[in-house]
Amino acid sequence: MEIQDIDNFLKYYSRIKGRTKALFEYIPEDKIEWTIKEGKFTIGDIIRHLALTERFMYVENIQLKPSLYTGCGEDFAKGYQNTINLYTELNIASNKIISELDRKSLQQKCETPGGHKITIWKLLRAMVEHEIHHRGVLYTYLALLNVKTPPIFGLSSEEVIQHSKKQ
């Protein structure tokens, strides 16, 4: 997918973010800092990581600036509601900056924190993939906590099988 129109991209990205946000409602508030094992991201870390990398890495880079990302611990937002608020507020700030991109700027090259030159539209695509990847991790964490989560597109795998035509 090549991103040529920033308004269409932001509509698409809003739907991606909406599916992630919908999952937050299933996180038990007392499990916001739960992790699979010491040294790994907590649920809160994942949400803060998404918010902070979006705004302070991806969005800085598309402005042709270096990354300002410095981590995702509780010092950025502590507790369930503050973590969710951080995610929402930084996404609003990011979208405002992203909305200023035009067709010409989407074709410019920027530099990633690793020193790689990449076309801005490709970095925006990577930002979407990053969101989806970490949403998958949230689904896994919640499954390990025995939390029933919603199917992403309306039907579970079992329901798709049940509704599929038999050959």
Side-chain angles (χ1 to χ4, degrees), residues 23-89:
L23 190 57
F24 298 166
E25 296 173 22
Y26 293 82
I27 298 169
E29 289 191 24
D30 66 331
K31 299 294 185 191
I32 192 71
E33 296 308 328
W34 181 87
T35 184
I36 189 167
K37 69 179 187 176
E38 192 172 330
K40 296 295 182 184
F41 276 174
T42 67
I43 291 172
D45 288 338
I46 294 167
I47 297 168
R48 290 184 294 267
H49 175 73
L50 285 169
L52 292 158
T53 55
E54 176 188 271
R55 176 57 196 89
F56 295 112
M57 188 193 82
Y58 290 104
V59 173
E60 288 302 302
N61 291 166
I62 67 167
Q63 295 179 89
L64 309 179
K65 298 176 182 178
S67 173
L68 299 175
Y69 177 76
T70 59
C72 58
E74 287 184 84
D75 46 320
F76 292 98
K78 188 174 178 91
Y80 177 87
Q81 196 57 56
N82 290 332
T83 299
I84 303 307
N85 291 347
L86 178 76
Y87 180 90
T88 301
E89 291 163 10

XYZ file of all heavy atoms in Angstrom, residues 23-89:
558
model
N -9.977 -2.594 22.437
C -9.416 -3.665 23.256
C -9.120 -3.195 24.677
O -9.184 -3.986 25.623
C -8.143 -4.197 22.590
C -7.531 -5.458 23.143
C -8.530 -6.612 23.144
C -6.296 -5.828 22.337
N -8.825 -1.906 24.854
C -8.507 -1.377 26.185
C -9.642 -1.613 27.180
O -9.403 -1.790 28.365
C -8.191 0.119 26.133
C -6.985 0.488 25.306
C -6.774 1.808 24.942
C -6.058 -0.451 24.888
C -5.669 2.179 24.187
C -4.953 -0.092 24.130
C -4.764 1.228 23.781
N -10.881 -1.608 26.691
C -12.039 -1.793 27.570
C -12.049 -3.170 28.235
O -12.735 -3.368 29.235
C -13.326 -1.605 26.771
C -13.496 -0.209 26.223
C -14.697 -0.079 25.299
O -15.617 -0.925 25.392
O -14.709 0.861 24.491
N -11.306 -4.107 27.685
C -11.277 -5.475 28.217
C -10.128 -5.693 29.199
O -10.037 -6.756 29.806
C -11.185 -6.485 27.060
C -12.450 -6.485 26.236
C -12.643 -5.529 25.244
C -13.458 -7.396 26.487
C -13.820 -5.502 24.499
C -14.636 -7.379 25.757
C -14.805 -6.427 24.758
O -15.972 -6.399 24.041
N -9.263 -4.713 29.342
C -8.120 -4.848 30.244
C -8.603 -4.621 31.677
O -9.122 -3.545 31.996
C -7.018 -3.819 29.907
C -6.484 -4.051 28.493
C -5.885 -3.874 30.938
C -5.594 -2.916 27.976
N -8.442 -5.621 32.545
C -8.792 -5.381 33.956
C -7.878 -4.282 34.516
O -6.661 -4.327 34.332
C -8.501 -6.730 34.626
C -8.492 -7.734 33.508
C -7.992 -6.987 32.307
N -8.483 -3.283 35.140
C -7.709 -2.139 35.626
C -6.576 -2.564 36.550
O -5.496 -1.975 36.520
C -8.614 -1.112 36.299
C -9.492 -0.390 35.296
C -10.217 0.810 35.880
O -9.746 1.390 36.886
O -11.261 1.170 35.308
N -6.782 -3.606 37.328
C -5.741 -4.044 38.256
C -4.637 -4.844 37.561
O -3.662 -5.234 38.187
C -6.335 -4.863 39.406
C -6.941 -6.180 38.958
O -7.425 -6.275 37.803
O -6.932 -7.124 39.768
N -4.767 -5.057 36.245
C -3.756 -5.796 35.481
C -2.978 -4.895 34.520
O -2.212 -5.378 33.701
C -4.406 -6.940 34.684
C -5.099 -7.971 35.544
C -4.112 -8.734 36.395
C -4.827 -9.850 37.153
N -3.984 -10.449 38.168
N -3.148 -3.585 34.639
C -2.501 -2.660 33.708
C -0.978 -2.821 33.713
O -0.335 -2.645 32.693
C -2.928 -1.187 33.954
C -2.484 -0.280 32.795
C -2.419 -0.662 35.273
C -3.228 -0.483 31.513
N -0.404 -3.201 34.844
C 1.057 -3.389 34.886
C 1.454 -4.868 34.968
O 2.562 -5.198 35.358
C 1.661 -2.575 36.037
C 1.492 -1.073 35.873
C 1.962 -0.502 34.538
O 2.934 -1.031 33.945
O 1.352 0.489 34.076
N 0.553 -5.740 34.519
C 0.861 -7.168 34.474
C 1.793 -7.450 33.302
O 1.701 -6.823 32.239
C -0.434 -7.973 34.299
C -0.200 -9.459 34.257
C -0.128 -10.301 35.326
C -0.008 -10.269 33.100
N 0.110 -11.588 34.893
C 0.191 -11.596 33.515
C 0.038 -9.999 31.726
C 0.415 -12.654 32.646
C 0.261 -11.047 30.847
C 0.443 -12.348 31.309
N 2.690 -8.377 33.488
C 3.584 -8.811 32.416
C 3.721 -10.314 32.439
O 3.496 -10.961 33.476
C 4.973 -8.148 32.526
O 5.758 -8.544 31.392
C 5.692 -8.536 33.809
N 4.101 -10.855 31.311
C 4.276 -12.299 31.200
C 5.469 -12.775 32.029
O 5.451 -13.864 32.574
C 4.405 -12.718 29.715
C 4.372 -14.222 29.580
C 5.638 -12.135 29.069
C 4.179 -14.713 28.171
N 6.509 -11.946 32.113
C 7.651 -12.253 32.976
C 8.491 -10.996 33.163
O 8.429 -10.062 32.362
C 8.489 -13.404 32.428
C 9.267 -13.118 31.170
C 10.066 -14.356 30.771
C 10.971 -14.035 29.612
N 11.819 -15.157 29.251
N 9.236 -10.993 34.234
C 10.056 -9.832 34.562
C 10.978 -9.487 33.392
O 11.534 -10.359 32.748
C 10.884 -10.128 35.814
C 11.540 -8.871 36.374
C 12.203 -9.104 37.720
O 11.729 -9.970 38.481
O 13.184 -8.409 37.982
N 11.083 -8.193 33.130
C 11.940 -7.730 32.045
C 11.222 -7.550 30.721
O 11.796 -7.035 29.768
N 9.963 -7.977 30.654
C 9.161 -7.808 29.446
C 8.163 -6.676 29.657
O 7.829 -6.328 30.774
C 8.409 -9.103 29.102
C 9.322 -10.258 28.754
C 10.085 -9.969 27.488
C 10.977 -11.127 27.088
N 11.775 -10.817 25.912
N 7.686 -6.102 28.537
C 6.682 -5.047 28.629
C 5.487 -5.506 29.458
O 5.042 -6.644 29.347
C 6.151 -4.685 27.245
C 6.974 -3.706 26.457
C 6.614 -3.421 25.145
C 8.077 -3.062 26.973
C 7.335 -2.509 24.383
C 8.803 -2.154 26.227
C 8.425 -1.882 24.926
N 4.949 -4.595 30.268
C 3.661 -4.808 30.904
C 2.581 -4.386 29.910
O 2.879 -3.792 28.858
C 3.513 -3.959 32.180
O 3.464 -2.570 31.800
C 4.653 -4.211 33.169
N 1.335 -4.661 30.245
C 0.237 -4.186 29.398
C 0.304 -2.665 29.275
O 0.193 -2.112 28.181
C -1.123 -4.659 29.958
C -1.243 -6.180 29.799
C -2.283 -3.926 29.284
C -2.453 -6.787 30.482
N 0.518 -1.983 30.393
C 0.644 -0.529 30.371
C 1.829 -0.065 29.536
O 1.731 0.928 28.805
N 2.945 -0.771 29.647
C 4.120 -0.428 28.831
C 3.788 -0.479 27.346
O 4.208 0.387 26.574
C 5.282 -1.392 29.092
C 5.959 -1.219 30.434
O 5.858 -0.134 31.040
O 6.611 -2.195 30.877
N 3.047 -1.503 26.940
C 2.697 -1.637 25.519
C 1.868 -0.440 25.067
O 2.145 0.149 24.015
C 1.940 -2.956 25.256
C 2.869 -4.154 25.505
C 1.376 -2.990 23.830
C 2.147 -5.489 25.569
N 0.892 -0.064 25.852
C 0.035 1.072 25.486
C 0.852 2.359 25.467
O 0.752 3.165 24.529
C -1.167 1.172 26.448
C -2.042 -0.081 26.314
C -1.976 2.448 26.192
C -3.077 -0.240 27.400
N 1.676 2.565 26.489
C 2.529 3.766 26.512
C 3.528 3.739 25.361
O 3.808 4.767 24.733
C 3.237 3.875 27.858
C 2.303 4.227 29.015
C 3.054 4.433 30.318
N 3.688 3.221 30.806
C 3.135 2.356 31.665
N 1.907 2.596 32.141
N 3.792 1.295 32.068
N 4.078 2.556 25.064
C 5.037 2.417 23.962
C 4.397 2.827 22.637
O 4.995 3.565 21.854
C 5.540 0.970 23.902
C 6.422 0.666 22.752
N 7.731 1.120 22.675
C 6.201 -0.055 21.623
C 8.272 0.693 21.550
N 7.366 -0.018 20.901
N 3.179 2.360 22.400
C 2.484 2.752 21.175
C 2.309 4.267 21.103
O 2.565 4.889 20.070
C 1.122 2.053 21.081
C 1.161 0.583 20.703
C -0.208 -0.061 20.896
C 1.656 0.405 19.279
N 1.871 4.857 22.193
C 1.638 6.308 22.224
C 2.932 7.089 22.039
O 3.000 8.027 21.240
C 0.984 6.691 23.553
N 3.940 6.692 22.782
C 5.188 7.466 22.803
C 6.030 7.274 21.550
O 6.640 8.237 21.073
C 5.977 7.119 24.065
C 5.297 7.596 25.358
C 5.792 6.802 26.564
C 5.506 9.085 25.558
N 6.052 6.061 20.989
C 6.811 5.892 19.741
C 6.108 6.599 18.597
O 6.767 7.197 17.743
C 7.039 4.411 19.366
O 5.792 3.735 19.302
C 7.997 3.737 20.317
N 4.775 6.529 18.582
C 4.040 7.232 17.526
C 4.414 8.711 17.515
O 4.840 9.254 16.494
C 2.543 7.074 17.735
C 1.701 7.863 16.727
C 0.237 7.823 17.087
O -0.449 6.893 16.635
O -0.208 8.730 17.833
N 4.254 9.347 18.663
C 4.458 10.799 18.715
C 5.935 11.200 18.690
O 6.328 12.142 18.011
C 3.776 11.364 19.974
C 4.004 12.857 20.198
C 3.543 13.710 19.017
N 4.098 15.038 19.105
C 5.274 15.407 18.601
N 6.040 14.540 17.956
N 5.693 16.642 18.737
N 6.780 10.488 19.453
C 8.148 10.970 19.641
C 9.201 10.255 18.801
O 10.359 10.658 18.810
C 8.513 10.938 21.124
C 7.664 11.898 21.910
C 6.730 11.443 22.812
C 7.777 13.263 21.703
C 5.928 12.336 23.517
C 6.973 14.166 22.398
C 6.057 13.694 23.304
N 8.807 9.229 18.066
C 9.730 8.628 17.118
C 9.196 8.835 15.701
O 9.732 9.626 14.949
C 9.950 7.139 17.394
C 11.067 6.561 16.523
S 11.125 4.766 16.526
C 9.885 4.377 15.319
N 8.093 8.137 15.369
C 7.589 8.227 14.001
C 7.284 9.656 13.580
O 7.724 10.114 12.515
C 6.324 7.361 13.829
C 6.588 5.880 13.887
C 6.268 5.130 15.018
C 7.160 5.212 12.811
C 6.511 3.766 15.075
C 7.411 3.849 12.854
C 7.082 3.137 13.988
O 7.330 1.786 14.039
N 6.530 10.368 14.388
C 6.113 11.721 13.987
C 7.289 12.694 13.999
O 7.373 13.588 13.146
C 4.919 12.204 14.836
C 4.594 13.660 14.557
C 3.699 11.323 14.546
N 8.231 12.518 14.906
C 9.439 13.354 14.837
C 10.198 13.064 13.551
O 10.640 13.972 12.859
C 10.332 13.119 16.054
C 9.786 13.702 17.342
C 9.548 15.204 17.288
O 10.507 15.958 17.013
O 8.405 15.628 17.536
N 10.365 11.779 13.222
C 11.111 11.406 12.021
C 10.463 11.933 10.749
O 11.172 12.395 9.847
C 11.276 9.894 11.930
C 12.209 9.314 12.978
O 12.226 8.104 13.175
N 12.988 10.139 13.666
N 9.124 11.888 10.647
C 8.484 12.386 9.425
C 8.595 13.906 9.297
O 8.391 14.453 8.219
C 7.014 11.937 9.290
C 6.144 12.569 10.365
C 6.909 10.425 9.244
C 4.655 12.451 10.137
N 8.924 14.571 10.407
C 9.194 16.017 10.367
C 10.673 16.282 10.085
O 11.140 17.408 10.202
C 8.815 16.666 11.696
C 7.337 16.610 12.020
C 7.082 17.252 13.358
O 6.850 18.462 13.435
N 7.142 16.456 14.421
N 11.409 15.204 9.750
C 12.845 15.263 9.448
C 13.665 15.632 10.679
O 14.711 16.262 10.591
C 13.132 16.222 8.278
C 12.291 15.986 7.018
C 12.637 17.008 5.945
C 12.443 14.560 6.501
N 13.151 15.207 11.833
C 13.821 15.440 13.112
C 14.239 14.097 13.704
O 13.659 13.062 13.384
C 12.871 16.145 14.091
C 12.410 17.519 13.647
C 11.410 18.076 14.645
C 10.872 19.429 14.227
N 9.864 19.909 15.196
N 15.203 14.114 14.608
C 15.599 12.856 15.255
C 14.557 12.400 16.278
O 13.765 13.197 16.782
C 16.916 13.212 15.953
C 16.867 14.685 16.155
C 16.040 15.248 15.023
N 14.590 11.126 16.583
C 13.684 10.544 17.565
C 13.913 11.156 18.938
O 15.043 11.415 19.339
C 13.922 9.033 17.641
O 13.181 8.468 18.694
N 12.806 11.356 19.656
C 12.849 11.822 21.042
C 12.348 10.752 22.005
O 12.148 11.029 23.185
C 11.994 13.093 21.189
C 12.417 14.303 20.359
C 11.408 15.436 20.509
C 13.810 14.761 20.731
N 12.136 9.536 21.499
C 11.605 8.434 22.315
C 12.633 8.026 23.359
O 13.784 7.753 23.031
C 11.258 7.250 21.417
C 10.761 6.040 22.171
C 9.470 6.003 22.685
C 11.574 4.931 22.355
C 9.004 4.893 23.371
C 11.116 3.807 23.035
C 9.837 3.793 23.536
O 9.381 2.687 24.214
N 12.200 7.987 24.625
C 13.129 7.652 25.711
C 12.627 6.509 26.589
O 13.172 6.285 27.669
C 13.398 8.887 26.598
O 12.156 9.345 27.149
C 14.074 9.991 25.825
N 11.599 5.802 26.143
C 11.087 4.695 26.931
C 9.591 4.782 27.105
O 8.936 5.652 26.536
N 9.061 3.842 27.923
C 7.606 3.754 28.052
C 7.158 3.307 29.446
O 6.089 2.742 29.608
C 7.052 2.799 27.000
S 7.734 1.129 27.097
N 7.962 3.582 30.439
C 7.631 3.154 31.795
C 6.541 3.984 32.446
O 6.011 4.941 31.871
N 6.249 3.622 33.683
C 5.179 4.280 34.438
C 5.457 5.748 34.718
O 4.530 6.487 35.071
C 4.941 3.550 35.758
C 4.244 2.224 35.615
C 3.953 1.602 36.966
O 2.912 1.959 37.571
O 4.770 0.778 37.420
N 6.696 6.196 34.564
C 6.981 7.607 34.790
C 6.281 8.495 33.751
O 6.105 9.688 33.969
C 8.497 7.875 34.821
C 9.259 7.213 33.688
O 8.936 6.062 33.337
O 10.191 7.839 33.151
N 5.820 7.914 32.633
C 5.092 8.680 31.609
C 3.595 8.737 31.895
O 2.932 9.695 31.508
C 5.335 8.078 30.222
C 6.744 8.246 29.751
C 7.657 7.211 29.891
C 7.174 9.440 29.190
C 8.964 7.360 29.472
C 8.488 9.604 28.767
C 9.387 8.560 28.915
N 3.070 7.707 32.517
C 1.653 7.656 32.893
C 1.485 6.473 33.828
O 1.841 5.352 33.481
C 0.754 7.499 31.671
N 0.945 6.727 34.995
C 0.777 5.671 35.991
C -0.700 5.382 36.174
O -1.512 6.299 36.314
C 1.403 6.096 37.315
C 1.447 4.991 38.355
C 2.223 5.456 39.577
C 2.240 4.397 40.625
N 3.354 3.491 40.545
N -1.044 4.110 36.155
C -2.424 3.706 36.352
C -3.174 3.550 35.041
O -2.773 4.062 33.999
N -4.264 2.827 35.138
C -5.060 2.499 33.956
C -5.518 3.750 33.193
O -5.200 3.920 32.019
C -6.269 1.635 34.364
C -7.186 1.323 33.218
C -6.951 0.220 32.415
C -8.284 2.130 32.932
C -7.774 -0.069 31.339
C -9.113 1.853 31.866
C -8.858 0.751 31.074
O -9.686 0.481 30.011
N -6.282 4.618 33.840
C -6.877 5.746 33.123
C -5.831 6.716 32.591
O -5.955 7.221 31.474
C -7.893 6.492 33.995
C -8.793 7.398 33.182
C -9.541 6.651 32.080
O -10.248 5.686 32.335
N -9.378 7.087 30.834
N -4.787 6.983 33.363
C -3.731 7.884 32.886
C -3.018 7.305 31.667
O -2.638 8.047 30.757
C -2.719 8.163 34.002
C -3.300 9.029 35.089
O -4.195 9.836 34.860
N -2.805 8.859 36.300
N -2.860 5.994 31.635
C -2.211 5.345 30.494
C -3.080 5.448 29.250
O -2.591 5.787 28.169
C -1.891 3.874 30.844
O -0.997 3.862 31.963
C -1.248 3.151 29.680
N -4.372 5.206 29.403
C -5.301 5.326 28.276
C -5.360 6.784 27.799
O -5.373 7.059 26.597
C -6.714 4.822 28.662
C -6.676 3.376 29.157
C -7.698 4.999 27.511
C -6.016 2.369 28.258
N -5.386 7.721 28.730
C -5.410 9.140 28.367
C -4.164 9.539 27.591
O -4.243 10.299 26.618
C -5.541 10.019 29.608
C -6.904 9.897 30.269
O -7.847 9.356 29.704
N -6.996 10.387 31.491
N -3.006 9.035 28.006
C -1.762 9.323 27.288
C -1.865 8.848 25.842
O -1.508 9.578 24.906
C -0.571 8.660 27.987
C 0.777 8.855 27.298
C 1.307 10.263 27.538
C 1.783 7.810 27.780
N -2.350 7.632 25.654
C -2.511 7.054 24.318
C -3.391 7.960 23.451
O -3.047 8.278 22.319
C -3.128 5.657 24.447
C -3.360 4.935 23.152
C -2.387 4.111 22.605
C -4.579 5.055 22.477
C -2.612 3.423 21.420
C -4.809 4.384 21.290
C -3.823 3.565 20.766
O -4.051 2.899 19.581
N -4.512 8.386 24.003
C -5.466 9.210 23.264
C -4.896 10.597 22.970
O -4.960 11.076 21.829
C -6.785 9.333 24.062
O -7.294 8.012 24.271
C -7.806 10.179 23.335
N -4.345 11.242 23.976
C -3.839 12.608 23.820
C -2.670 12.684 22.848
O -2.597 13.606 22.022
C -3.448 13.180 25.179
C -4.653 13.433 26.073
C -4.293 13.617 27.546
O -3.095 13.742 27.881
O -5.234 13.618 28.371
